[in-house]
Amino acid sequence: MKGRIHSIETCGAVDGPGLRYIVFTQGCPLRCKYCHNPDTWKLQDGNEADTEELITDILKYKSFMKASNGGVTVSGGEPFLQADFVRDLFIKCKENGLHTTIDTSGYVDIEKADPVLDYTDLVLLDIKSYNQNIYKNLTGVPLDRTLALAKHLEKRSIPIWIRYVLVPNLTDNEEDIEALATFLETLTNVERIDILPFHKMGEYKWEQLGYEYELTDTIEPNIDATNKAADIFRKHHLPII
């Protein structure tokens, strides 16, 4: 099956356990203000890829993935925007005994996600904010689908790693973090929480694409701010990394 991808990373170490073969898909319905890959937004851009060709290449790295308890991660963009393509790739991965992970914003209908989740071992779920107004302002879309997916993943007993980007004066409000932690504490499938400090490494791409980057004057959070956010999650007995 054919799909459109942005790029491939053959030995990633941060997008799931172990060494990962990472496929970055093309297309995303979100417009996050801090996105470091705005060149993934438009589905028609990127390169055409075939799952048969991808799995052939993936299997070249199988020994490294197996030795490190790694596997294959599909990230984006938003992978669920090409759900059939991802499902077909994951079917081939499972046929070859490979661990599968999807990195998603959660902005997807459950009915569309489920056929992919049938072949998914782990979900990296990016929750940008628990404050609905901030989330909508930050991403351009509502929060409800992401929270619904989190609850659905618990029902299906699919482990999740939560990713939270800490942006000064945007997602660092302690009350909002407290509310997110309270929500996550109700879930039994949260294996890990990663606090990702905001950075501007992708700002140049916005300039190249002619987009206005609104966070030019936003500074990166210091270690004290990051630790303060981590302490809130720890208070709720959540697994902070």
Side-chain angles (χ1 to χ4, degrees):
M1 176 174 286
K2 296 184 183 298
R4 299 200 70 81
I5 67 171
H6 172 267
S7 56
I8 289 170
E9 184 177 348
T10 56
C11 288
V14 297
D15 294 297
L19 293 177
R20 318 290 302 179
Y21 187 106
I22 307 167
V23 179
F24 295 91
T25 58
Q26 191 70 27
C28 186
L30 278 66
R31 295 295 181 264
C32 298
K33 294 182 184 296
Y34 55 69
C35 180
H36 59 274
N37 285 317
D39 47 337
T40 66
W41 287 352
K42 297 179 180 179
L43 182 61
Q44 67 269 27
D45 293 343
N47 303 300
E48 188 176 76
D50 186 276
T51 54
E52 286 289 348
E53 295 173 356
L54 280 173
I55 196 65
T56 297
D57 193 49
I58 287 168
L59 292 176
K60 297 175 184 177
Y61 304 89
K62 183 176 180 178
S63 60
F64 298 101
M65 292 185 282
K66 283 293 188 180
S68 64
N69 293 317
V72 175
T73 297
V74 177
S75 185
E78 172 48 62
F80 280 121
L81 204 60
Q82 300 187 66
D84 292 341
F85 172 72
V86 178
R87 179 178 182 271
D88 190 62
L89 179 61
F90 276 5
I91 288 173
K92 291 176 170 59
C93 288
K94 301 314 292 181
E95 289 173 347
N96 287 278
L98 294 172
H99 182 276
T100 55
T101 296
I102 190 164
D103 181 5
T104 177
S105 68
Y107 189 72
V108 61
D109 291 329
I110 300 299
E111 296 76 14
K112 189 174 183 179
D114 262 335
V116 181
L117 297 177
D118 288 342
Y119 302 93
T120 301
D121 295 310
L122 173 68
V123 174
L124 309 182
L125 184 60
D126 304 315
I127 301 183
K128 321 290 184 179
S129 174
Y130 196 74
N131 182 308
Q132 302 223 16
N133 292 329
I134 289 178
Y135 190 94
K136 181 67 181 293
N137 176 57
L138 176 62
T139 68
V141 302
L143 174 61
D144 55 343
R145 291 186 183 182
T146 297
L147 300 184
L149 181 64
K151 294 175 183 177
H152 183 68
L153 291 169
E154 183 193 31
K155 291 179 182 177
R156 292 202 52 168
S157 299
I158 298 175
I160 58 176
W161 290 10
I162 299 296
R163 291 180 152 184
Y164 188 78
V165 180
L166 191 68
V167 187
N169 301 315
L170 194 58
T171 67
D172 62 345
N173 181 279
E174 292 183 28
E175 290 183 2
D176 293 343
I177 298 173
E178 183 84 34
L180 175 59
T182 299
F183 167 72
L184 294 176
E185 193 178 17
T186 68
L187 305 177
T188 59
N189 60 330
V190 178
E191 289 191 344
R192 168 172 171 157
I193 295 175
D194 290 300
I195 298 177
L196 309 177
F198 162 76
H199 64 74
K200 293 186 285 187
M201 288 187 287
E203 182 176 4
Y204 74 96
K205 292 185 180 181
W206 288 66
E207 296 173 355
Q208 290 177 346
L209 293 166
Y211 299 152
E212 179 185 358
Y213 190 75
E214 297 181 19
L215 303 182
T216 296
D217 297 327
T218 301
I219 61 172
E220 297 181 4
N222 58 36
I223 189 65
D224 289 339
T226 304
N227 287 338
K228 187 176 294 185
D231 286 342
I232 294 173
F233 289 111
R234 289 193 186 97
K235 184 178 70 175
H236 287 266
H237 312 291
L238 293 163
I240 273 286
I241 302 299

